[in-house]
Amino acid sequence: MSSHHIEHVEAHLVGLPLLRPHKLAMHTIETQLTVILRIRCSDGVSGIGEAATIGGLSYAGESPESIKVNIERYFTPLLIGQNPYNLNALMERIDNSIKGNTFARSAVESALLDAQGKHLGLSVAEVLGGPLVDALEVVWVLASGDTHQDIDEAEKMLDLHRHRHFKVKLGATSLARDVQHAATIKQALGNRASVRVDINQSWSESLCIGAGAQLAAAGVEMIEQPVPRHDWRALARLSRHLPIPLMADEAIESVADSFNLASAASAPIFSLKIAKTGGPRAVLRTAAIAQAAGIDLYGGTMLESSIGTLASAHAFATLPPLAWDTELFGPLLLAEDVVSERPQYHDFKLWLPKGPGLGVQIDENQLARLIQR
């Protein structure tokens, strides 16, 4: 039995300005609002985690404000005084008392994994069983909404050897403009880069039938979540008939959702996001379901800072190389971060840090300056 226990839990609402506006179908982000969590243990170890959403409540049923409040009001009493190094017991305790709230749960599980890694002198990937790769290929998202600006941005990333796969955000304008926007970008990049598109649930099934064929003809490789998340039957029908693979993203809001989607053969690709499944260990359960069903994987993001990005990266690194790579570019889009040293990106990949836990430390001055009061 461990004599260690959790002494203190603190959750901070932090505003992180972006280098440029990030335009999605449902929202344009200029400052990313996120929750930075710290769990302090009696042996002097502190674990850190993060929970971010995209555009407040425009993406999911949790917002940064609700995440902070719910961690303080409901999660913290379940954590104080407990052994921080028995993750199974702690997360079972949380599951028995709190329903849903996967974003908040993910921040808690990430912080506990970070603490355990520091306590044992192991990386989070090692705590999760060990990494299969040292680095993850990273897709860059083109979301300025301006075709020429997106092309210039992609060319810069190729020149820097930072990204060679690009995802174009669509759905905020007319269907014809959307298709032309993506097709023009693909034509400009040619065979030097792959192009995928993300609709963020903004098309109907009928619109997607015609647009999907046009996008495939233009050389676009994949369409992410074109229809509303609840309409898994439409996703399944489109997956059977379109000449281009579809990826389920918003449709997966829990591990149970991933099982239901796999059972219905709704999409041949799943986007993995620790926030939507409830943490790094939880996302690996979704990955196992997809692998058993022969579904390819993609490592998604909620535009987290370096803390949440690395929590995802450590989990994804324990899987065989993901067929559709990852989208862990969040720290690269931020004008400011809350860590003393950001992760390393080069040779088209994000490289896992070598230190214990997540491998990053909070910059206390930055955190204090960026806290939203």
Side-chain angles (χ1 to χ4, degrees):
M1 296 291 291
S2 173
S3 60
H4 303 306
H5 61 274
I6 294 172
E7 291 186 332
H8 184 68
V9 178
E10 59 187 58
H12 299 290
L13 199 63
V14 175
L16 302 173
L18 272 57
L19 292 171
R20 58 130 170 93
H22 195 67
K23 186 175 183 179
L24 295 82
M26 67 289 192
H27 189 78
T28 297
I29 305 170
E30 296 186 0
T31 297
Q32 176 64 318
L33 200 59
T34 186
V35 176
I36 303 299
L37 175 68
R38 179 155 42 195
I39 296 176
R40 299 184 189 271
C41 309
S42 60
D43 59 355
V45 170
S46 290
I48 55 176
E50 179 181 7
T53 71
I54 295 176
L57 287 171
S58 68
Y59 183 91
E62 293 175 74
S63 69
E65 295 86 354
S66 72
I67 292 166
K68 180 181 185 299
V69 169
N70 287 337
I71 286 176
E72 293 171 339
R73 174 65 180 84
Y74 296 101
F75 286 81
T76 295
L78 298 173
L79 295 170
I80 296 296
Q82 301 300 307
N83 176 7
Y85 305 128
N86 188 337
L87 268 71
N88 288 333
L90 267 175
M91 299 317 293
E92 178 75 6
R93 181 178 173 87
I94 288 170
D95 287 344
N96 288 337
S97 300
I98 297 173
K99 306 306 177 188
N101 287 274
T102 58
F103 286 70
R105 188 187 188 282
S106 178
V108 170
E109 185 173 276
S110 297
L112 292 171
L113 284 166
D114 182 50
Q116 186 166 93
K118 291 171 180 173
H119 176 70
L120 298 173
L122 301 172
S123 71
V124 167
E126 289 171 317
V127 171
L128 294 172
L132 295 179
V133 296
D134 296 324
L136 300 158
E137 183 112 8
V138 177
V139 174
W140 181 256
V141 176
L142 301 171
S144 73
D146 181 273
T147 303
H148 296 297
Q149 183 175 331
D150 280 354
I151 291 171
D152 290 344
E153 198 170 283
E155 292 285 4
K156 178 182 177 182
M157 299 305 172
L158 286 169
D159 289 343
L160 292 173
H161 276 225
R162 216 174 72 181
H163 307 278
R164 56 187 171 188
H165 304 298
F166 299 96
K167 189 170 83 173
V168 181
K169 288 289 188 179
L170 303 181
T173 184
S174 70
L175 186 72
R177 285 189 63 186
D178 272 347
V179 171
Q180 185 60 51
H181 178 59
T184 302
I185 292 172
K186 177 56 183 173
Q187 183 179 25
L189 300 179
N191 294 328
R192 295 174 297 143
S194 71
V195 173
R196 304 95 180 259
V197 297
D198 185 4
I199 316 303
N200 288 124
Q201 311 180 75
S202 293
W203 290 351
S204 67
E205 183 178 359
S206 62
L207 289 178
C208 193
I209 290 172
Q214 294 176 63
L215 290 168
V220 172
E221 293 186 345
M222 176 259 282
I223 302 175
E224 179 177 349
Q225 196 68 50
V227 295
R229 67 164 302 274
H230 64 270
D231 200 352
W232 56 267
R233 292 181 180 85
L235 200 62
R237 288 191 295 269
L238 289 167
S239 291
R240 288 195 295 270
H241 298 300
L242 285 182
I244 185 171
L246 302 184
M247 181 163 72
D249 178 21
E250 287 94 335
I252 304 172
E253 288 194 346
S254 65
V255 175
D257 281 343
S258 61
F259 178 81
N260 293 331
L261 288 166
S263 300
S266 293
I269 310 168
F270 279 4
S271 175
L272 302 175
K273 291 182 178 177
I274 63 172
K276 295 195 304 174
T277 50
R281 298 191 314 158
V283 87
L284 294 179
R285 294 197 286 274
T286 283
I289 290 168
Q291 289 168 323
I295 295 168
D296 285 340
L297 296 173
Y298 177 78
T301 182
M302 294 302 299
L303 283 184
E304 295 99 339
S305 75
S306 295
I307 295 171
T309 295
L310 286 173
S312 296
H314 280 282
F316 299 159
T318 68
L319 297 168
L322 305 185
W324 290 86
D325 309 304
T326 76
E327 194 178 317
L328 299 180
F329 72 101
L332 296 172
L333 190 61
L334 298 177
E336 298 189 77
D337 208 328
V338 293
V339 297
S340 55
E341 186 175 348
R342 298 197 198 191
Q344 295 297 307
Y345 291 84
H346 57 82
D347 297 322
F348 304 109
K349 296 179 180 181
L350 162 63
W351 295 80
L352 265 66
K354 298 297 184 183
L358 294 175
V360 289
Q361 302 295 327
I362 286 178
D363 182 321
E364 300 296 341
N365 292 329
Q366 277 286 89
L367 177 64
R369 191 171 60 80
L370 294 168
I371 286 175
Q372 307 292 292
R373 302 190 187 280

